[in-house]
Amino acid sequence: MPFKSLRDFIDHLEQSGDLVRISEPVSTHLEMTEIQTRVIAEGGPAILFEHVRNPDGSRAEMPVLVNLYGTVARVAGAIGRTPDQLREVGETLAFLRQPEPPKGIRQAWDLLPLARQVLAMRPKSVKQAPCQEIILTGDQIDLGRLPIQGCWPGEPAPLITWPLIVTKGPSDKAEDNFNLGIYRMQRLDQRRTLMRWLKHRGGAQQYDRWARDKRAPLPAAAVIGADPGTTLAAVTPVPDTLSEYQFAGLLRGKPVELVDCKTIPLKVPAHAEIILEGHVSLDEHGDEGPYGDHTGYYNSVEPFPVFTISAITMRRNPIYLSTYTGRPPDEPACSAKP
């Protein structure tokens, strides 16, 4: 069965002994990274820090989940498969990216079930959603409520490391469908971050097209703690003709449920933990970094656009999903391998 939410996956991992709860106090600043680097190197379990401390020593409002995709087996299990079944997913993806014309009527007939399956995985819209049980707007917006991780010494600010960024381009063309990508976000203040998307990424390309056509800030949503199928679809090289939401349905074997955002014209996963709604500025940029990267070194400082939050919505008692980026083995590398 597909995991409807992150919580369903957490329950599954706990029942199988692949998740550990830590009740001792752990700080978001450096301590989480130190623990993660040891656990991931040993192929250890996912970790739920239940007693999280902010850098000032105060207790955070919510627990933090880390190392969720720290092994190939957990990545495969997140989409209901075993590691040896991942090749089948790859073959399907390869066909979708570069389909070959069928050789004869029989082969065309054999491909019909896949075509029907892809069409059947269009997302389903709902009017009410768990991700909007709590809605914060105006002066209630405060990123300080989130236990954002400080990963490495000397970094300029805490970093949102597992945000699933939802955007939509300015046209009805296939390349302007809903795009999902993972782009890190440096916290600037209570309601602003930087959006670090590299130029070749789908979100940045839609941003450029939007700037040319609309000349207004680009609506965007940062989803923290989506169901595992949707998260993994966001890090998969899906063809431009297919929305990641649709591919997520294919991975899950069931369409993704989406809900309209409260302040922007986008749809987000209904069963996610936390949603940051807002706009990416076309003319306001800030220096991002230096931050620890896959190379084992710190990135150079580069300018990226500012994301300003118009609403924070979340589930009751939300769970904050986090990770760190560093020299492999790290979680991004472990999730990229399969």
Side-chain angles (χ1 to χ4, degrees):
M1 294 293 291
F3 296 109
K4 194 171 188 177
S5 68
L6 178 64
R7 298 181 184 205
D8 287 348
F9 190 37
I10 289 173
D11 290 342
H12 168 76
L13 293 177
E14 196 158 27
Q15 291 171 11
S16 62
D18 208 11
L19 180 138
V20 172
R21 294 176 179 265
I22 304 295
S23 59
E24 292 294 318
V26 176
S27 174
T28 58
H29 185 61
L30 304 184
E31 287 188 357
M32 285 185 179
T33 303
E34 197 281 330
I35 294 170
Q36 284 175 262
T37 55
R38 287 187 285 118
V39 173
I40 200 167
E42 298 168 2
I47 300 172
L48 186 63
F49 294 113
E50 297 180 312
H51 186 161
V52 177
R53 291 287 183 184
N54 296 313
D56 63 4
S58 62
R59 184 161 185 167
E61 295 185 22
M62 57 193 74
V64 176
L65 177 66
V66 302
N67 200 33
L68 184 63
Y69 303 110
T71 65
V72 172
R74 271 202 301 281
V75 174
I79 52 175
R81 292 168 174 82
T82 59
D84 60 350
Q85 292 174 320
L86 288 172
R87 182 169 293 279
E88 298 171 12
V89 180
E91 289 169 352
T92 300
L93 178 62
F95 175 79
L96 293 172
R97 285 184 62 82
Q98 194 169 3
E100 296 179 1
K103 299 174 181 176
I105 295 176
R106 182 177 179 82
Q107 192 175 26
W109 183 261
D110 290 341
L111 291 174
L112 274 177
L114 176 60
R116 290 196 190 101
Q117 190 179 5
V118 171
L119 289 174
M121 292 310 162
R122 289 175 176 164
K124 175 185 176 182
S125 293
V126 297
K127 293 185 177 180
Q128 293 183 318
C131 71
Q132 295 174 344
E133 290 173 336
I134 298 172
I135 301 171
L136 305 175
T137 57
D139 293 340
Q140 297 173 311
I141 297 172
D142 183 6
L143 285 172
R145 299 183 64 165
L146 305 185
I148 303 175
Q149 189 170 345
C151 299
W152 300 106
E155 293 179 335
L159 197 65
I160 303 174
T161 50
W162 257 128
L164 192 164
I165 306 301
V166 182
T167 56
K168 192 178 186 305
S171 73
D172 294 327
K173 296 178 181 178
E175 63 266 25
D176 283 332
N177 283 337
F178 284 115
N179 184 82
L180 278 61
I182 307 292
Y183 314 119
R184 74 189 190 199
M185 305 167 72
Q186 175 180 328
R187 190 180 74 188
L188 296 179
D189 53 36
Q190 290 183 333
R191 59 189 307 151
R192 296 186 311 149
T193 75
L194 295 177
M195 187 69 76
R196 187 185 187 272
W197 45 30
L198 303 179
K199 289 187 179 296
H200 62 283
R201 300 296 186 187
Q205 292 176 357
Q206 287 189 342
Y207 172 78
D208 288 341
R209 290 195 292 273
W210 185 276
R212 290 195 298 270
D213 287 21
K214 302 293 185 180
R215 299 182 182 179
L218 171 71
V223 181
I224 301 173
D227 68 272
T230 302
T231 299
L232 293 174
V235 298
T236 303
V238 176
D240 291 340
T241 54
L242 190 68
S243 166
E244 281 90 353
Y245 279 145
Q246 205 167 352
F247 186 69
L250 201 61
L251 285 178
R252 299 165 76 249
K254 189 175 182 180
V256 178
E257 291 187 354
L258 303 178
V259 68
D260 289 329
C261 288
K262 294 296 183 179
T263 61
I264 55 175
L266 293 176
K267 292 180 179 289
V268 291
H271 298 272
E273 296 292 319
I274 303 165
I275 311 291
L276 309 179
E277 302 180 9
H279 293 81
V280 185
S281 174
L282 302 185
D283 50 20
E284 186 181 6
H285 295 72
D287 287 337
E288 199 262 6
Y291 283 103
D293 200 22
H294 303 287
T295 58
Y297 295 89
Y298 289 84
N299 285 126
S300 58
V301 177
E302 295 181 74
F304 285 95
V306 172
F307 172 69
T308 301
I309 298 170
S310 53
I312 299 177
T313 73
M314 61 181 78
R315 298 180 70 135
R316 293 188 184 92
N317 303 313
I319 298 167
Y320 182 83
L321 180 65
S322 189
T323 190
Y324 73 93
T325 300
R327 186 170 53 192
D330 67 348
E331 199 170 350
C334 291
S335 59
K337 183 178 179 181

